[in-house]
Amino acid sequence: EVQLVESGGGLVQPGGSLRLSCAASGFTFSSYWMSWVRQAPGKGLEWVANIKQDGSEKYYVDSVKGRFTISRDNAKNSLYLQMNSLRAEDTAVYYCANGRGAFDIWGQGTMVTVSS
Amino acid sequence: DIQMTQSPSSLSASVGDRVTITCQASQDISNYLNWYQQKPGKAPKLLIYDASNLETGVPSRFSGSGSGTDFTFTISSLQPEDIATYYCQQYDNLLTFGPGTKVDIK
């Protein structure tokens, strides 16, 4: 079964850090760009970052540049998002998704809450 | 940055109605435009890719058209299970989602 499973979300104080993980199965993970997309409570979708198959290219939305780092481990079929200097406005459900353009596989999402 | 707008932001229609949503890009994005459906508490689902291509397994009542800056998404005959929020998304330059259109049954 083709699947993406996120983990690592939780409650963190402003200024804190969190590392999200996404485990892939059922498809050739190393062949795909991978992305993180987030959705604040009651709001729309926002693309956060993506990474090329070999990790040589990474792109970020302006609001997270310098604070978030996307990475991957193809040997472990895993995608990561290291989030530092977290702000209240980073509160959202974070989804991992396959691809660089059209996302046809999504995880179930993991909730990140930034609050004191 | 490419900005995406959608209209309307919400709509109510009857079962069997034809529903149309428009999406406009702030600059030419060719056909690098996708449409997603999202139901409450669920991850989005890809319906249409590259402006007009129906994703495998998606009912044929869904369709998309357009190129450049103006795009249209259509449900030819609204069904109760189509109640959801629909998003357009460009990937010509990085990625940007539209603000979404919430579709309800009248």
Side-chain angles (χ1 to χ4, degrees):
Chain A
E1 180 189 6
V2 173
Q3 199 172 8
L4 293 169
V5 179
E6 302 94 337
S7 60
L11 175 63
V12 60
Q13 293 187 340
S17 298
L18 214 53
R19 188 196 196 206
L20 305 184
S21 299
C22 171
S25 59
F27 67 100
T28 308
F29 177 77
S30 59
S31 296
Y32 289 87
W33 280 76
M34 292 296 297
S35 298
W36 287 98
V37 175
R38 67 183 178 183
Q39 186 169 36
K43 303 297 184 181
L45 300 167
E46 180 182 42
W47 168 77
V48 174
N50 62 11
I51 184 169
K52 194 176 180 179
Q53 290 91 329
D54 62 358
S56 61
E57 295 182 35
K58 304 174 184 181
Y59 300 95
Y60 301 89
V61 68
D62 284 348
S63 59
V64 308
K65 280 180 185 176
R67 301 188 300 122
F68 289 12
T69 301
I70 189 171
S71 62
R72 65 191 296 161
D73 185 336
N74 288 340
K76 295 183 177 180
N77 289 336
S78 292
L79 176 72
Y80 306 101
L81 186 67
Q82 177 66 44
M83 304 186 295
N84 298 330
S85 303
L86 282 161
R87 307 167 179 166
E89 55 265 35
D90 296 318
T91 294
V93 173
Y94 285 73
Y95 297 100
C96 63
N98 75 317
R100 184 184 190 184
F103 303 139
D104 60 350
I105 307 171
W106 294 71
Q108 85 288 352
T110 187
M111 183 71 203
V112 172
T113 303
V114 184
S115 174
S116 55
Chain B
D1 293 5
I2 298 176
Q3 309 301 318
M4 306 299 292
T5 58
Q6 279 182 243
S7 62
S9 57
S10 65
L11 66 89
S12 290
S14 300
V15 172
D17 281 356
R18 184 180 185 87
V19 168
T20 299
I21 299 168
T22 62
C23 176
Q24 188 168 58
S26 59
Q27 63 189 68
D28 189 337
I29 59 169
S30 184
N31 68 330
Y32 299 125
L33 191 284
N34 305 314
W35 291 95
Y36 297 85
Q37 175 193 66
Q38 187 180 33
K39 297 183 178 181
K42 300 293 186 181
K45 175 185 177 182
L46 177 66
L47 299 180
I48 303 287
Y49 64 94
D50 294 346
S52 60
N53 295 293
L54 192 68
E55 174 71 353
T56 301
V58 173
S60 59
R61 64 180 180 274
F62 296 101
S63 64
S65 64
S67 66
T69 61
D70 296 301
F71 301 87
T72 300
F73 172 81
T74 300
I75 307 173
S76 61
S77 177
L78 186 68
Q79 300 301 304
E81 60 267 32
D82 300 336
I83 300 313
T85 300
Y86 293 84
Y87 295 92
C88 62
Q89 173 235 326
Q90 69 82 19
Y91 65 100
D92 178 64
N93 182 2
L94 298 181
L95 295 96
T96 316
F97 287 91
T101 296
K102 187 174 183 180
V103 175
D104 283 328
I105 294 288
K106 190 182 296 181

